[in-house]
Amino acid sequence: MSSCTALEHSLRPVRAFRYVVVDVFTETPLAGNALAVFTDGRGLSDEEMQRLARETNLSESVFVLPAEDGGAARIRIFTPSVELPFAGHPTLGSAYVLAGPLQLPEIRLETLRGIVPVALEREHDRIVFGRMRQPLPVWAAYDDVDALLAALGVERSELPVELYDNGARFVYVGLGSEEEVARLQPDPFALSDQTDFVGVLCFAGSGARWKARMFAPGGGIFEDPATGSAAGPLAVHLARHGRIAFGDEIEIAQGVEIGRPSTLFARAVGTAEELERVEVGGSAVVVARGEFRIP
């Protein structure tokens, strides 16, 4: 670098962007699904948001912007490789960060799939639980079931293999036992070829308690510790196929196999013909604060 170029570089203004790291779907620091929330994303281009999300290298990063459609704030959600219209743990984690200093019983966050209300429960001045009302999913049969099962290394699914879309897209594969879910060792390359940017949620359980693992190598995430946007459609899937009743709340354990144990709660209200609402809830804890300084 020439001295002139170095001088020009040193004189360029530096912008500071503060962020908070919050572990979502857990009450324990360094568990759950980590999220970076940039509390003021004004002044960042789309490309810069994507590069910052790649720099944090978390499953998602959120950039908070002024509201435009009646919410408390607008959020943009990025994985290390792509922007998402909606995702669960970023929405819940953002609610914890933004509503922490407030005493509101609910915060409404604008996403690319519309406003997502998050109801908040507090003990004294601390938020202890949040419950989001997710966009309603649509669903369809998955086309290439045999190739998907082969990529997962399993022989069959206990329920129909179906694709759900609520702004994020997931295929659901039901296994015979929680032990079978724990033993999964999918082929990441074959799974990526099969699913592109679609995640695959494998699950087993009964009644109110279920175990899940979610793989999305096509989206740059081999295994996700806690997938809030997949938890709601799982409740819908189980209710549609008679494993639970509509209106029942389920508890989902996820992330154990990768050292990030997480607990999610989900409920689908209505009927298969007329789904009324889908709710997903959990806890979160702030673990770090900092800032990025970029020209």
Side-chain angles (χ1 to χ4, degrees), residues 74-99:
R74 180 164 59 99
I75 60 173
R76 296 183 64 182
I77 304 167
F78 288 79
T79 74
S81 58
V82 67
E83 183 174 9
L84 299 177
F86 168 74
H89 102 274
T91 303
L92 184 61
S94 297
Y96 267 78
V97 170
L98 298 176

mmCIF file of all heavy atoms in Angstrom, residues 74-99:
data_model
loop_
_atom_site.group_PDB
_atom_site.id
_atom_site.type_symbol
_atom_site.label_atom_id
_atom_site.label_comp_id
_atom_site.label_asym_id
_atom_site.label_seq_id
_atom_site.Cartn_x
_atom_site.Cartn_y
_atom_site.Cartn_z
ATOM 1 N N ARG A 74 -38.533 -3.000 12.977
ATOM 2 C CA ARG A 74 -38.425 -3.892 11.822
ATOM 3 C C ARG A 74 -37.130 -4.673 11.961
ATOM 4 O O ARG A 74 -36.092 -4.109 12.339
ATOM 5 C CB ARG A 74 -38.428 -3.069 10.526
ATOM 6 C CG ARG A 74 -38.321 -3.879 9.252
ATOM 7 C CD ARG A 74 -38.735 -3.026 8.045
ATOM 8 N NE ARG A 74 -37.920 -1.827 7.906
ATOM 9 C CZ ARG A 74 -36.892 -1.711 7.059
ATOM 10 N NH1 ARG A 74 -36.546 -2.737 6.287
ATOM 11 N NH2 ARG A 74 -36.218 -0.581 6.968
ATOM 12 N N ILE A 75 -37.169 -5.974 11.689
ATOM 13 C CA ILE A 75 -35.960 -6.780 11.786
ATOM 14 C C ILE A 75 -35.685 -7.473 10.460
ATOM 15 O O ILE A 75 -36.591 -7.925 9.777
ATOM 16 C CB ILE A 75 -36.030 -7.822 12.923
ATOM 17 C CG1 ILE A 75 -37.186 -8.795 12.734
ATOM 18 C CG2 ILE A 75 -36.142 -7.121 14.276
ATOM 19 C CD1 ILE A 75 -37.198 -9.943 13.743
ATOM 20 N N ARG A 76 -34.398 -7.505 10.109
ATOM 21 C CA ARG A 76 -33.950 -8.272 8.954
ATOM 22 C C ARG A 76 -33.055 -9.391 9.460
ATOM 23 O O ARG A 76 -32.189 -9.159 10.313
ATOM 24 C CB ARG A 76 -33.229 -7.375 7.947
ATOM 25 C CG ARG A 76 -34.157 -6.325 7.360
ATOM 26 C CD ARG A 76 -33.468 -5.489 6.302
ATOM 27 N NE ARG A 76 -33.074 -6.304 5.150
ATOM 28 C CZ ARG A 76 -32.414 -5.809 4.092
ATOM 29 N NH1 ARG A 76 -32.097 -4.509 4.067
ATOM 30 N NH2 ARG A 76 -32.085 -6.582 3.079
ATOM 31 N N ILE A 77 -33.253 -10.591 8.942
ATOM 32 C CA ILE A 77 -32.646 -11.798 9.477
ATOM 33 C C ILE A 77 -31.743 -12.415 8.408
ATOM 34 O O ILE A 77 -32.194 -12.704 7.300
ATOM 35 C CB ILE A 77 -33.726 -12.810 9.892
ATOM 36 C CG1 ILE A 77 -34.695 -12.183 10.903
ATOM 37 C CG2 ILE A 77 -33.097 -14.071 10.460
ATOM 38 C CD1 ILE A 77 -35.968 -12.996 11.120
ATOM 39 N N PHE A 78 -30.470 -12.618 8.756
ATOM 40 C CA PHE A 78 -29.504 -13.181 7.822
ATOM 41 C C PHE A 78 -28.833 -14.409 8.430
ATOM 42 O O PHE A 78 -28.407 -14.384 9.585
ATOM 43 C CB PHE A 78 -28.413 -12.159 7.484
ATOM 44 C CG PHE A 78 -28.856 -11.030 6.601
ATOM 45 C CD1 PHE A 78 -29.559 -9.955 7.132
ATOM 46 C CD2 PHE A 78 -28.567 -11.026 5.241
ATOM 47 C CE1 PHE A 78 -29.965 -8.903 6.326
ATOM 48 C CE2 PHE A 78 -28.980 -9.980 4.432
ATOM 49 C CZ PHE A 78 -29.679 -8.912 4.968
ATOM 50 N N THR A 79 -28.704 -15.475 7.640
ATOM 51 C CA THR A 79 -27.774 -16.548 7.942
ATOM 52 C C THR A 79 -26.404 -16.105 7.404
ATOM 53 O O THR A 79 -26.296 -15.030 6.788
ATOM 54 C CB THR A 79 -28.186 -17.865 7.266
ATOM 55 O OG1 THR A 79 -27.904 -17.781 5.864
ATOM 56 C CG2 THR A 79 -29.669 -18.157 7.478
ATOM 57 N N PRO A 80 -25.351 -16.909 7.575
ATOM 58 C CA PRO A 80 -24.066 -16.520 6.963
ATOM 59 C C PRO A 80 -24.102 -16.436 5.444
ATOM 60 O O PRO A 80 -23.184 -15.869 4.849
ATOM 61 C CB PRO A 80 -23.122 -17.642 7.432
ATOM 62 C CG PRO A 80 -23.684 -18.093 8.733
ATOM 63 C CD PRO A 80 -25.180 -18.025 8.527
ATOM 64 N N SER A 81 -25.172 -16.965 4.815
ATOM 65 C CA SER A 81 -25.173 -16.979 3.351
ATOM 66 C C SER A 81 -26.398 -16.366 2.689
ATOM 67 O O SER A 81 -26.363 -16.096 1.490
ATOM 68 C CB SER A 81 -25.027 -18.426 2.848
ATOM 69 O OG SER A 81 -26.058 -19.236 3.353
ATOM 70 N N VAL A 82 -27.494 -16.108 3.432
ATOM 71 C CA VAL A 82 -28.718 -15.656 2.775
ATOM 72 C C VAL A 82 -29.617 -14.934 3.776
ATOM 73 O O VAL A 82 -29.548 -15.176 4.984
ATOM 74 C CB VAL A 82 -29.457 -16.875 2.161
ATOM 75 C CG1 VAL A 82 -29.988 -17.813 3.232
ATOM 76 C CG2 VAL A 82 -30.553 -16.452 1.208
ATOM 77 N N GLU A 83 -30.463 -14.022 3.271
ATOM 78 C CA GLU A 83 -31.471 -13.377 4.120
ATOM 79 C C GLU A 83 -32.722 -14.252 4.161
ATOM 80 O O GLU A 83 -33.124 -14.842 3.153
ATOM 81 C CB GLU A 83 -31.832 -11.994 3.577
ATOM 82 C CG GLU A 83 -32.830 -11.257 4.478
ATOM 83 C CD GLU A 83 -33.105 -9.817 4.059
ATOM 84 O OE1 GLU A 83 -32.650 -9.418 2.959
ATOM 85 O OE2 GLU A 83 -33.768 -9.098 4.827
ATOM 86 N N LEU A 84 -33.360 -14.325 5.335
ATOM 87 C CA LEU A 84 -34.570 -15.116 5.537
ATOM 88 C C LEU A 84 -35.782 -14.209 5.735
ATOM 89 O O LEU A 84 -35.684 -13.197 6.435
ATOM 90 C CB LEU A 84 -34.424 -16.022 6.764
ATOM 91 C CG LEU A 84 -33.299 -17.047 6.738
ATOM 92 C CD1 LEU A 84 -33.260 -17.797 8.061
ATOM 93 C CD2 LEU A 84 -33.467 -18.011 5.578
ATOM 94 N N PRO A 85 -36.931 -14.569 5.153
ATOM 95 C CA PRO A 85 -38.144 -13.776 5.395
ATOM 96 C C PRO A 85 -38.600 -13.834 6.854
ATOM 97 O O PRO A 85 -39.154 -12.876 7.381
ATOM 98 C CB PRO A 85 -39.182 -14.427 4.473
ATOM 99 C CG PRO A 85 -38.401 -15.207 3.482
ATOM 100 C CD PRO A 85 -37.152 -15.645 4.171
ATOM 101 N N PHE A 86 -38.388 -15.002 7.488
ATOM 102 C CA PHE A 86 -38.788 -15.189 8.882
ATOM 103 C C PHE A 86 -37.950 -16.309 9.470
ATOM 104 O O PHE A 86 -37.557 -17.247 8.762
ATOM 105 C CB PHE A 86 -40.272 -15.566 8.978
ATOM 106 C CG PHE A 86 -40.674 -16.038 10.352
ATOM 107 C CD1 PHE A 86 -40.806 -15.141 11.402
ATOM 108 C CD2 PHE A 86 -40.878 -17.393 10.603
ATOM 109 C CE1 PHE A 86 -41.135 -15.580 12.670
ATOM 110 C CE2 PHE A 86 -41.222 -17.836 11.871
ATOM 111 C CZ PHE A 86 -41.346 -16.923 12.905
ATOM 112 N N ALA A 87 -37.652 -16.210 10.755
ATOM 113 C CA ALA A 87 -37.014 -17.299 11.491
ATOM 114 C C ALA A 87 -37.390 -17.145 12.954
ATOM 115 O O ALA A 87 -37.620 -16.027 13.441
ATOM 116 C CB ALA A 87 -35.502 -17.301 11.299
ATOM 117 N N GLY A 88 -37.449 -18.269 13.660
ATOM 118 C CA GLY A 88 -38.011 -18.266 15.009
ATOM 119 C C GLY A 88 -37.086 -17.738 16.083
ATOM 120 O O GLY A 88 -37.430 -16.802 16.812
ATOM 121 N N HIS A 89 -35.881 -18.321 16.201
ATOM 122 C CA HIS A 89 -35.041 -17.881 17.311
ATOM 123 C C HIS A 89 -34.551 -16.441 17.133
ATOM 124 O O HIS A 89 -34.420 -15.709 18.119
ATOM 125 C CB HIS A 89 -33.908 -18.900 17.578
ATOM 126 C CG HIS A 89 -32.556 -18.558 17.078
ATOM 127 N ND1 HIS A 89 -32.134 -18.834 15.795
ATOM 128 C CD2 HIS A 89 -31.491 -17.985 17.701
ATOM 129 C CE1 HIS A 89 -30.884 -18.439 15.651
ATOM 130 N NE2 HIS A 89 -30.467 -17.922 16.785
ATOM 131 N N PRO A 90 -34.347 -15.935 15.904
ATOM 132 C CA PRO A 90 -34.031 -14.512 15.773
ATOM 133 C C PRO A 90 -35.169 -13.590 16.214
ATOM 134 O O PRO A 90 -34.927 -12.526 16.790
ATOM 135 C CB PRO A 90 -33.736 -14.356 14.276
ATOM 136 C CG PRO A 90 -33.306 -15.704 13.842
ATOM 137 C CD PRO A 90 -34.161 -16.645 14.630
ATOM 138 N N THR A 91 -36.407 -13.992 15.940
ATOM 139 C CA THR A 91 -37.543 -13.154 16.348
ATOM 140 C C THR A 91 -37.693 -13.145 17.861
ATOM 141 O O THR A 91 -37.844 -12.083 18.477
ATOM 142 C CB THR A 91 -38.833 -13.662 15.685
ATOM 143 O OG1 THR A 91 -38.657 -13.681 14.255
ATOM 144 C CG2 THR A 91 -40.015 -12.778 16.034
ATOM 145 N N LEU A 92 -37.619 -14.316 18.485
ATOM 146 C CA LEU A 92 -37.745 -14.380 19.941
ATOM 147 C C LEU A 92 -36.565 -13.689 20.618
ATOM 148 O O LEU A 92 -36.752 -12.920 21.576
ATOM 149 C CB LEU A 92 -37.831 -15.842 20.391
ATOM 150 C CG LEU A 92 -38.057 -16.066 21.884
ATOM 151 C CD1 LEU A 92 -39.373 -15.453 22.341
ATOM 152 C CD2 LEU A 92 -38.014 -17.560 22.217
ATOM 153 N N GLY A 93 -35.350 -13.933 20.128
ATOM 154 C CA GLY A 93 -34.185 -13.286 20.721
ATOM 155 C C GLY A 93 -34.223 -11.778 20.590
ATOM 156 O O GLY A 93 -33.859 -11.043 21.528
ATOM 157 N N SER A 94 -34.683 -11.279 19.450
ATOM 158 C CA SER A 94 -34.802 -9.821 19.264
ATOM 159 C C SER A 94 -35.820 -9.238 20.230
ATOM 160 O O SER A 94 -35.632 -8.131 20.748
ATOM 161 C CB SER A 94 -35.207 -9.515 17.819
ATOM 162 O OG SER A 94 -34.221 -9.941 16.910
ATOM 163 N N ALA A 95 -36.908 -9.970 20.475
ATOM 164 C CA ALA A 95 -37.913 -9.493 21.428
ATOM 165 C C ALA A 95 -37.315 -9.345 22.817
ATOM 166 O O ALA A 95 -37.567 -8.356 23.519
ATOM 167 C CB ALA A 95 -39.098 -10.455 21.456
ATOM 168 N N TYR A 96 -36.515 -10.302 23.244
ATOM 169 C CA TYR A 96 -35.856 -10.210 24.555
ATOM 170 C C TYR A 96 -34.950 -8.987 24.622
ATOM 171 O O TYR A 96 -34.956 -8.236 25.608
ATOM 172 C CB TYR A 96 -35.032 -11.469 24.818
ATOM 173 C CG TYR A 96 -35.766 -12.544 25.573
ATOM 174 C CD1 TYR A 96 -36.688 -13.359 24.932
ATOM 175 C CD2 TYR A 96 -35.535 -12.759 26.927
ATOM 176 C CE1 TYR A 96 -37.359 -14.364 25.612
ATOM 177 C CE2 TYR A 96 -36.197 -13.757 27.618
ATOM 178 C CZ TYR A 96 -37.113 -14.557 26.956
ATOM 179 O OH TYR A 96 -37.777 -15.540 27.647
ATOM 180 N N VAL A 97 -34.150 -8.762 23.564
ATOM 181 C CA VAL A 97 -33.191 -7.653 23.578
ATOM 182 C C VAL A 97 -33.904 -6.313 23.549
ATOM 183 O O VAL A 97 -33.601 -5.405 24.327
ATOM 184 C CB VAL A 97 -32.225 -7.789 22.386
ATOM 185 C CG1 VAL A 97 -31.377 -6.523 22.243
ATOM 186 C CG2 VAL A 97 -31.334 -9.015 22.562
ATOM 187 N N LEU A 98 -34.887 -6.160 22.653
ATOM 188 C CA LEU A 98 -35.526 -4.858 22.460
ATOM 189 C C LEU A 98 -36.517 -4.526 23.566
ATOM 190 O O LEU A 98 -36.684 -3.364 23.928
ATOM 191 C CB LEU A 98 -36.233 -4.830 21.104
ATOM 192 C CG LEU A 98 -35.313 -5.005 19.889
ATOM 193 C CD1 LEU A 98 -36.133 -5.055 18.609
ATOM 194 C CD2 LEU A 98 -34.278 -3.894 19.820
ATOM 195 N N ALA A 99 -37.197 -5.529 24.113
ATOM 196 C CA ALA A 99 -38.212 -5.272 25.131
ATOM 197 C C ALA A 99 -37.653 -5.319 26.545
ATOM 198 O O ALA A 99 -38.375 -5.031 27.495
ATOM 199 C CB ALA A 99 -39.352 -6.283 25.000
#
